[in-house]
Amino acid sequence: MKQLIIYAICLFAVISFAQNAKIDSLTVRLAYQNQDSTKVETSLLLINELYKVEDYKKALLFIAQTSELSKSLNYDKGLAETNYIKALINSEQDDLGNAVSNFEIARSYFSTINDTLGIAKVNNNLGVIEIQRGNYKKGLQNSLSAISIFEEKDLKDDLSKAYNNLAEAYFNTGKLDKALQYNKKALSVREELDDMEGMKSSLKNLGQIYALNDDYRRSIDNYERMLTLLDSDEKDIRGAVLPSLGKSYLAIEDLDKASDYLREGLRYSRFQKDELGILKSLNAFGELNIKNKRLKLAENQLLEALKLAKKLGDDEELLYNLKLNTDLDSKRGFYEDAFNWQNQYYALKDKLDKERAAAVKIPETSIDDTIEDTPPLIEKKEAVEAQNEALATTEQEDQKKQDTLLIYGLIAGLVFITALLIFSYLKSSKDGKSNKKFAKENKELALKNAQLEEVNQVKDKLFSIVSHDLKDSISSIKAFLDLLKDGGISKEEFNELIPELSENANNASSLLFNLLNWSKSQMQNLQPKPELFNIQEIFQIKISLIEKKVNDKGIILIDESRREFVYADRSMLEIVIQNLITNAVKFTGKGDVITVSNQDYNGKVLICVEDTGIGISEENQKKLFNAKKNFTTIGTENEKGTGLGLTICKDLVELNNGRIWVESTPNIGSKFFIELPKAALSE
């Protein structure tokens, strides 16, 4: 070991001596040169060497002199390079305002001399600064514009920086698929460069992203590989990674390894007095001990973590803690306490959701199709103040009032639509009898009569559904409201029932939605109003509506859609896409994957909603699109259906000159395909 240290010291001394000798040599040469462009070039070499050894004071002195000489000579290259290095020094000194100003001046000079590499380097550094400031749109634009130049010239150092820059921007704007892509690229380049620090950073980022995507085994692989690269004295980094690694093992139910890593992480964090590390370890330990039924120990750990989360103002860990406390008291049978924890959890979640909704968004840009509308920031930490609790309580009470009003309004709407359907049923029955009377007189009339008879049969089925499913939902809601009205339950007890009532209302609303759209398509000869529109926009809208359910069920949803135009009735296709995605969520569970995509297929647009859920037997596949069968099954969490959704989908797709079909294997998953035209069909 001593020999190794001596060797390192000697090597450092040799390198330092060589650098100093080079600086001295350039200084001497500069003193004897004429005031021309050659002197500018020598000065630039000297400035670069001074920048490398971080002698910024002397570098800035030579930059000022070289800039003046370049101006007198009208030497744009000298002005470009001096402003560029000056901006780098400003950036190193955290003088970001001057850094941006000097980078922009340098870029204008690089543009004048058509130096694409210089422009790319400036853009990449501007990207770093804009991302540091939270201006993710500008950061992405600048870095993306630099990438192609760096890749073309195979500039590994610049590529490493650019890829990492893009990965950070995409991560902070919720584009995890893009963040994953660029972190992988950054890691690959850093491995080629043997950049140990860069590799550690990329592996840590990959571990975090895979965990957020619920791909815990890959998360574990990257975290563990990072740990092998750490030196023994890097205790702070080890302490930060171990809780995350333990949490990933916890997610795959490997409780022994989770315990080992969390224990080691907590020990490191306490030794380093790293309160954030302690908080993360205690929260994860609390979950572990709940799983192991060590409830008293879990209570103590979660209480300490709760105090730390409030002290640090870490809302994400506080949210996690409130959820764990809800689970803990539910398991102990302390339902009133569990309900209070749950109220705090939803109040904080609503607050965070509102903050995220108001956070930075990246609008569409013309740089290339990789920049899209992006979701809000993944994390936003703000201090938790005392008044937040009162605000959260008020918001929760307002939400309960809205829920109650919604339930009353839904009942009134359902009663109205039920009466409407009964009237339609009676009227159609009368029409059917009338048609039968004249059927013998005219063959054409007989055919119409047969069609009306079929419609009547469908309406019979609709009426049957209304009298059972809809009646059950309304009766359940009405029973609880009557209890509250008559004093059979207290307001507190009613508040506990709100989640169940909300679920009933959602089921009834879904039923009503499908009945209305089916009624339109079957009873009113619904005519499509086709137009050209971007199918990717429909996917993005519908995915945003089911994000909460996806997260609640632990499902991974992958959006592989791309910008492509279809010719159809937009509102009809929205109904179809919503039904298919909702069905995919219904029949998948934790760890399953739903993928939505579209592609060009024989001159048409082929849309696919694929899942790795429970699948459909060949026998049941034949029933899916048949209105007379009214086929429906229970979802993975006992979700109920109407049996009409796919029938509606078939009708609406066919009205738009398309077709719909399914490919499915039990216990493997299902693929629902829609084929639609890209333009109006020729007559």
Side-chain angles (χ1 to χ4, degrees):
M1 178 60 79
K2 279 186 177 181
Q3 289 178 336
L4 186 61
I5 294 172
I6 292 170
Y7 173 76
I9 293 171
C10 291
L11 182 63
F12 178 75
V14 169
I15 293 171
S16 298
F17 177 77
Q19 284 179 328
N20 288 330
K22 189 172 184 179
I23 289 171
D24 291 341
S25 173
L26 288 168
T27 305
V28 171
R29 192 199 309 176
L30 192 65
Y32 290 95
Q33 287 181 327
N34 294 325
Q35 299 287 98
D36 55 20
S37 60
T38 305
K39 185 165 188 172
V40 173
E41 293 296 334
T42 303
S43 184
L44 289 173
L45 291 173
L46 176 58
I47 291 166
N48 273 295
E49 291 301 319
L50 291 169
Y51 175 73
K52 288 178 184 176
V53 299
E54 299 181 8
D55 190 346
Y56 299 144
K57 186 176 181 181
K58 193 175 289 185
L60 288 170
L61 179 64
F62 280 103
I63 284 172
Q65 295 172 356
T66 308
S67 181
E68 285 300 317
L69 178 57
S70 297
K71 282 181 183 178
S72 67
L73 297 170
N74 290 322
Y75 190 47
D76 289 338
K77 181 184 177 185
L79 291 168
E81 294 288 351
T82 51
N83 278 286
Y84 175 70
I85 301 171
K86 187 176 180 180
L88 290 176
I89 294 172
N90 293 148
S91 184
E92 291 291 340
Q93 295 174 335
D94 291 328
D95 185 2
L96 299 185
N98 282 321
V100 170
S101 176
N102 286 308
F103 274 133
E104 289 175 345
I105 294 170
R107 183 166 58 187
S108 68
Y109 282 116
F110 281 129
S111 298
T112 301
I113 61 177
N114 294 318
D115 186 344
T116 55
L117 180 57
I119 294 170
K121 288 184 175 182
V122 168
N123 285 343
N124 193 41
N125 281 283
L126 281 171
V128 172
I129 292 173
E130 295 299 347
I131 287 168
Q132 287 175 350
R133 290 172 158 184
N135 299 328
Y136 298 107
K137 177 191 172 183
K138 284 187 178 179
L140 284 169
Q141 287 175 333
N142 282 306
S143 291
L144 281 167
S145 67
I147 287 287
S148 59
I149 302 297
F150 295 154
E151 289 178 338
E152 180 185 339
K153 297 183 180 295
D154 198 30
L155 300 174
K156 302 294 184 187
D157 285 322
D158 292 306
L159 274 174
S160 171
K161 186 176 182 181
Y163 286 151
N164 188 69
N165 189 27
L166 286 167
E168 182 182 349
Y170 278 122
F171 178 83
N172 283 309
T173 52
K175 301 288 288 182
L176 297 188
D177 53 341
K178 292 289 186 184
L180 192 64
Q181 174 187 340
Y182 283 105
N183 268 306
K184 286 180 178 178
K185 287 187 175 185
L187 177 61
S188 177
V189 172
R190 287 167 171 179
E191 287 173 338
E192 290 183 51
L193 294 171
D194 200 24
D195 175 7
M196 198 65 65
E197 294 304 314
M199 289 166 63
K200 293 173 191 174
S201 175
S202 292
L203 287 167
K204 181 181 177 183
N205 293 341
L206 286 168
Q208 185 179 5
I209 294 169
Y210 278 125
L212 288 170
N213 282 334
D214 296 333
D215 192 347
Y216 296 108
R217 296 196 182 277
R218 284 193 178 136
S219 172
I220 288 167
D221 290 343
N222 283 278
Y223 278 138
E224 289 191 332
R225 186 181 168 199
M226 180 197 171
L227 290 179
T228 64
L229 301 180
L230 293 178
D231 296 329
S232 58
D233 60 339
E234 293 182 287
K235 292 184 173 61
D236 53 340
I237 302 176
R238 184 178 295 272
V241 170
L242 288 171
S244 299
L245 179 55
K247 198 171 175 182
S248 289
Y249 270 114
L250 191 59
I252 63 171
E253 300 294 332
D254 191 339
L255 303 187
D256 291 336
K257 282 195 175 180
S259 178
D260 291 341
Y261 281 117
L262 291 175
R263 187 176 293 107
E264 186 182 0
L266 184 58
R267 180 167 58 84
Y268 269 112
S269 296
R270 289 200 189 278
F271 179 77
Q272 296 292 120
K273 297 182 180 178
D274 175 11
E275 291 186 323
L276 180 58
I278 295 171
L279 167 60
K280 290 183 176 181
S281 297
L282 286 171
N283 265 340
F285 244 134
E287 183 177 356
L288 174 67
N289 285 316
I290 289 173
K291 288 179 181 290
N292 284 330
K293 298 181 180 178
R294 297 171 182 167
L295 303 184
K296 186 61 181 175
L297 182 57
E299 179 186 19
N300 293 334
Q301 290 165 336
L302 292 178
L303 180 61
E304 183 182 353
L306 179 66
K307 292 176 181 176
L308 274 174
K310 289 182 176 179
K311 176 184 176 183
L312 298 175
D314 191 322
D315 284 344
E316 295 296 335
E317 286 296 322
L318 179 58
L319 194 69
Y320 179 34
N321 183 276
L322 294 172
K323 182 178 184 300
L324 292 173
N325 270 304
T326 303
D327 295 341
L328 174 64
D329 281 339
S330 293
K331 288 188 182 298
R332 296 196 297 180
F334 301 163
Y335 297 114
E336 185 175 350
D337 290 338
F339 178 65
N340 289 333
W341 289 118
Q342 187 181 49
N343 277 346
Q344 292 182 55
Y345 171 83
Y346 281 114
L348 180 58
K349 187 174 185 301
D350 288 344
K351 171 178 172 283
L352 292 178
D353 287 344
K354 288 175 183 176
E355 288 177 353
R356 289 166 182 158
V360 176
K361 295 181 181 179
I362 303 177
E364 288 187 353
T365 177
S366 59
I367 282 186
D368 73 38
D369 289 339
T370 57
I371 304 181
E372 303 161 1
D373 286 339
T374 58
L377 293 174
I378 247 173
E379 292 184 11
K380 183 179 181 183
K381 312 293 186 185
E382 291 187 358
V384 177
E385 301 173 355
Q387 64 264 35
N388 282 352
E389 185 175 352
L391 178 60
T393 303
T394 302
E395 290 178 350
Q396 187 71 11
E397 288 174 355
D398 290 343
Q399 186 61 46
K400 288 172 186 173
K401 290 177 182 177
Q402 290 174 8
D403 287 342
T404 303
L405 289 173
L406 176 63
I407 291 166
Y408 279 116
L410 181 61
I411 290 173
L414 291 177
V415 170
F416 171 78
I417 194 60
T418 302
L420 182 63
L421 287 172
I422 292 170
F423 172 78
S424 178
Y425 167 73
L426 295 173
K427 184 178 183 298
S428 298
S429 296
K430 182 179 179 181
D431 291 342
K433 291 176 181 178
S434 217
N435 286 328
K436 286 178 182 178
K437 182 178 179 181
F438 300 103
K440 296 177 182 179
E441 298 177 5
N442 192 298
K443 289 182 180 181
E444 185 179 351
L445 195 58
L447 178 61
K448 291 181 179 179
N449 183 70
Q451 292 172 341
L452 284 171
E453 187 64 33
E454 185 176 348
V455 171
N456 282 335
Q457 291 175 6
V458 172
K459 291 175 185 176
D460 286 340
K461 183 61 67 178
L462 290 174
F463 190 77
S464 175
I465 293 169
V466 171
S467 64
H468 290 89
D469 297 30
L470 199 53
K471 178 182 176 183
D472 288 345
S473 294
I474 296 174
S475 298
S476 174
I477 296 169
K478 186 175 184 301
F480 286 125
L481 292 173
D482 287 342
L483 279 173
L484 178 65
K485 180 181 177 182
D486 298 333
I489 56 173
S490 65
K491 288 185 178 180
E492 290 74 21
E493 289 171 326
F494 179 79
N495 287 339
E496 292 181 32
L497 297 170
I498 283 178
E500 182 180 344
L501 290 172
S502 179
E503 183 65 23
N504 283 338
N506 286 337
N507 289 338
S509 178
S510 176
L511 172 63
L512 182 59
F513 173 86
N514 282 330
L515 285 173
L516 282 171
N517 285 294
W518 172 263
S519 301
K520 284 181 182 179
S521 65
Q522 291 294 322
M523 296 184 225
Q524 298 177 9
N525 192 24
L526 189 63
Q527 292 298 317
K529 297 178 181 177
E531 62 180 312
L532 276 176
F533 60 90
N534 182 8
I535 185 62
Q536 188 179 46
E537 294 177 358
I538 304 299
F539 274 127
Q540 290 173 346
I541 292 168
K542 297 307 175 185
I543 286 172
S544 68
L545 296 177
I546 49 90
E547 278 181 347
K548 183 179 184 302
K549 186 66 174 178
V550 166
N551 293 333
D552 289 345
K553 293 188 74 171
I555 299 166
I556 301 166
L557 199 156
I558 300 173
D559 182 4
E560 292 184 352
S561 64
R562 60 190 180 89
R563 184 181 177 84
E564 193 165 36
F565 287 85
V566 298
Y567 186 76
D569 187 306
R570 179 173 178 135
S571 62
M572 289 185 180
L573 193 57
E574 284 187 355
I575 293 169
V576 174
I577 296 298
Q578 180 170 328
N579 267 289
L580 293 185
I581 295 178
T582 302
N583 277 351
V585 174
K586 176 180 174 183
F587 296 108
T588 50
K590 185 173 183 180
D592 282 329
V593 178
I594 297 173
T595 306
V596 299
S597 62
N598 61 282
Q599 60 179 301
D600 185 277
Y601 179 74
N602 292 335
K604 296 184 178 181
V605 177
L606 183 65
I607 298 165
C608 180
V609 178
E610 178 182 1
D611 66 72
T612 61
I614 60 179
I616 310 165
S617 68
E618 188 173 348
E619 179 185 356
N620 286 339
Q621 288 179 44
K622 298 175 183 177
K623 306 174 185 176
L624 290 179
F625 301 102
N626 192 334
K628 297 178 183 179
K629 298 291 184 183
N630 188 36
F631 176 73
T632 182
T633 56
I634 301 298
T636 55
E637 290 185 354
N638 296 317
E639 300 100 321
K640 295 179 181 179
T642 66
L644 291 173
L646 290 174
T647 307
I648 293 169
C649 291
K650 180 176 183 291
D651 287 346
L652 296 181
V653 169
E654 289 178 352
L655 279 169
N656 285 278
N657 299 307
R659 65 189 184 103
I660 182 170
W661 71 96
V662 63
E663 294 175 4
S664 184
T665 305
N667 302 317
I668 300 290
S670 304
K671 292 183 181 180
F672 282 86
F673 295 95
I674 304 169
E675 186 183 82
L676 288 168
K678 299 178 77 170
L681 299 179
S682 58
E683 294 297 326

